[in-house]
Amino acid sequence: MADVSFQDVTKQFAEGTLAVKGLSLAIPDGEFMILVGPSGCGKTTALRLVAGLETATSGTITIAGRAVTHLSPRDRDIAMVFQNYALYPHMSVQRNLAFGLRQRHVPRDEVERRVAAMSAMLGLDELLRRRPAQLSGGQRQRVAMGRALVREPKAFLLDEPLSNLDAKLRVQMRAELKRIHQRLNITTIYVTHDQVEAMTLGDRLAVISGGELQQVGTPQDVYEHPANVFVAHFIGSPPMNLLRATASAGRAQAGDLSVELAHVPDGPCVLGIRPESLSLMAPDDPRPSLDFDIEVVEPLGGELLAHGFVNGRLASPDASEETPLFTGDSESRAEVTVKLDGRLRLKAGERVRLAVHAGEVYAFDAASGAALIG
């Protein structure tokens, strides 16, 4: 096992695409690090740079304190699991597990010991004679992970390994991955665009957008203290509601909503409110509130999602342009989402009053998108 470090790493492809921009990130020994961001943000390129499948244009990558930037993949002592599993179809599970060890000329007794131990840990003992075509998606995924882990690499790299599985199996495999990491404590870098996956799996998250690192922190810290409006909108399901606002004398006004935010300087800003930070307003509730016209209700059992409109202007996640969904005669209306108790019986077409939970309104600079911290 080993630490992995990016030091001002940039990757520009021959046609001019700048995929990774000055990435600096330290991943301690044994950590489960998640690289998360939208498609095309550069997270997979960053992973491939660690694996040696891409070469950095500039900067340094180290594994266990050794610079590996220009080493071949086989000299880096890492193992990688891809989205498509990449199992050898003509080999049994047992031979797939042992293949990498035999290529490295590991003694036969040691190969058998490691394969037996990994098979037992991943519950593959009854499948060892089968070929990949005879396995389910989850079983193939376990074989792919076992083939990588049996080598006992310094670092374990996973590129969206669960994206081909159905929803129920993804949940099961997430738990399996966490158990494996807890048992082996191997340095792991995991790439995903699914922020729920990122929140549930990682020790820390590295949120990436446009090839640039936006924020690094524990899942809860990134959720509760987003560094900018992009992170705030990307981390959380459903996404944070973003409204254009104007601040004056310690208060911010966004359509009907007026909230006290003493730390926000006068002028335009963006207010962020998570769907779970809104609730139906009770009589005599003193909290800030706003009218909400329900358009769609999604019952989810213990909770429900309501989508609708409030008076105000919607802000885009980059906070650089106003994007009102449509404008009426005198004011704009913005679409927002609310997460409520599933026992409520709400209908499309209703108008309700929503209260905002105290202390759960975020503010961001309208020009840069940076969080305005109180």
Side-chain angles (χ1 to χ4, degrees):
M1 295 183 293
D3 61 305
V4 177
S5 175
F6 296 84
Q7 299 164 23
D8 198 23
V9 173
T10 292
K11 172 61 179 178
Q12 185 167 18
F13 290 101
E15 79 280 6
T17 301
L18 193 57
V20 177
K21 306 175 185 178
L23 176 61
S24 293
L25 177 65
I27 303 168
D29 183 20
E31 183 173 70
F32 200 129
M33 170 62 77
I34 305 288
L35 305 184
V36 61
S39 297
C41 73
K43 57 189 184 296
T44 293
T45 300
L47 192 75
R48 289 172 65 86
L49 288 169
V50 178
L53 302 177
E54 303 286 354
T55 302
T57 305
S58 62
T60 303
I61 298 170
T62 64
I63 299 176
R66 180 178 67 147
V68 300
T69 316
H70 301 291
L71 291 183
S72 67
R74 69 178 293 118
D75 295 327
R76 299 188 182 206
D77 196 13
I78 53 88
M80 189 166 181
V81 175
F82 299 91
Q83 181 178 339
N84 63 0
Y85 314 144
L87 299 176
Y88 297 106
H90 62 289
M91 293 184 182
S92 67
V93 168
Q94 186 171 32
R95 290 181 63 197
N96 264 285
L97 292 173
F99 182 80
L101 298 176
R102 288 175 176 162
Q103 288 296 103
R104 291 171 174 262
H105 306 293
V106 175
R108 175 177 289 186
D109 289 349
E110 179 66 6
V111 171
E112 292 177 354
R113 183 193 69 77
R114 290 198 202 177
V115 169
M118 188 58 60
S119 174
M121 188 179 77
L122 295 178
L124 298 173
D125 287 349
E126 296 181 1
L127 308 175
L128 290 176
R129 295 183 181 274
R130 295 188 191 179
R131 294 186 178 182
Q134 299 171 299
L135 305 177
S136 69
Q139 289 169 339
R140 291 180 200 174
Q141 185 61 278
R142 279 186 283 154
V143 175
M145 289 190 294
R147 187 181 60 183
L149 289 168
V150 76
R151 287 176 42 204
E152 299 179 1
K154 290 180 179 176
F156 188 31
L157 313 180
L158 300 104
D159 186 9
E160 305 210 38
L162 308 184
S163 59
N164 289 334
L165 305 180
D166 62 49
K168 182 178 180 180
L169 195 50
R170 280 202 302 272
V171 174
Q172 293 173 350
M173 289 307 299
R174 285 205 305 260
E176 189 72 39
L177 275 169
K178 291 199 80 164
R179 279 195 291 267
I180 291 170
H181 183 260
Q182 288 167 1
R183 290 180 67 174
L184 299 180
N185 198 35
I186 188 171
T187 306
T188 301
I189 307 176
Y190 186 106
V191 162
T192 182
H193 66 275
D194 185 332
Q195 54 85 34
V196 174
E197 214 168 84
M199 293 284 289
T200 54
L201 276 174
D203 295 327
R204 286 195 303 158
L205 313 182
V207 186
I208 300 173
S209 176
E212 294 184 280
L213 184 63
Q214 303 294 313
Q215 185 172 358
V216 181
T218 65
Q220 201 62 30
D221 186 54
V222 172
Y223 176 83
E224 293 179 351
H225 307 288
N228 55 45
V229 74
F230 172 83
V231 175
H233 187 263
F234 190 81
I235 298 297
S237 181
M240 180 182 286
N241 300 300
L242 300 173
L243 299 172
R244 288 279 171 171
T246 301
S248 177
R251 296 195 72 82
Q253 187 80 34
D256 289 344
L257 180 65
S258 178
V259 294
E260 184 176 349
L261 293 172
H263 63 282
V264 178
D266 291 356
C269 63
V270 173
L271 296 186
I273 308 170
R274 295 202 180 276
E276 53 270 33
S277 295
L278 294 162
S279 60
L280 293 186
M281 190 173 186
D284 302 321
D285 192 330
R287 292 178 295 172
S289 61
L290 69 171
D291 284 331
F292 177 59
D293 293 322
I294 301 172
E295 186 178 56
V296 176
V297 176
E298 295 183 79
L300 299 174
E303 60 189 20
L304 66 82
L305 300 181
H307 308 273
F309 294 90
V310 299
N311 291 330
R313 281 183 174 274
L314 193 70
S316 62
D318 64 7
S320 63
E321 57 182 279
E322 293 185 359
T323 55
L325 296 182
F326 62 89
T327 302
D329 293 336
S330 60
E331 58 190 354
S332 299
R333 302 221 299 164
E335 185 176 13
V336 302
T337 298
V338 187
K339 184 183 288 188
L340 299 169
D341 190 321
R343 292 170 294 184
L344 294 172
R345 297 294 179 260
L346 300 179
K347 296 180 180 180
E350 283 188 80
R351 170 174 284 192
V352 297
R353 190 78 177 172
L354 296 176
V356 181
H357 295 187
E360 296 185 13
V361 177
Y362 296 82
F364 305 92
D365 183 82
S368 68
L372 299 172
I373 307 299

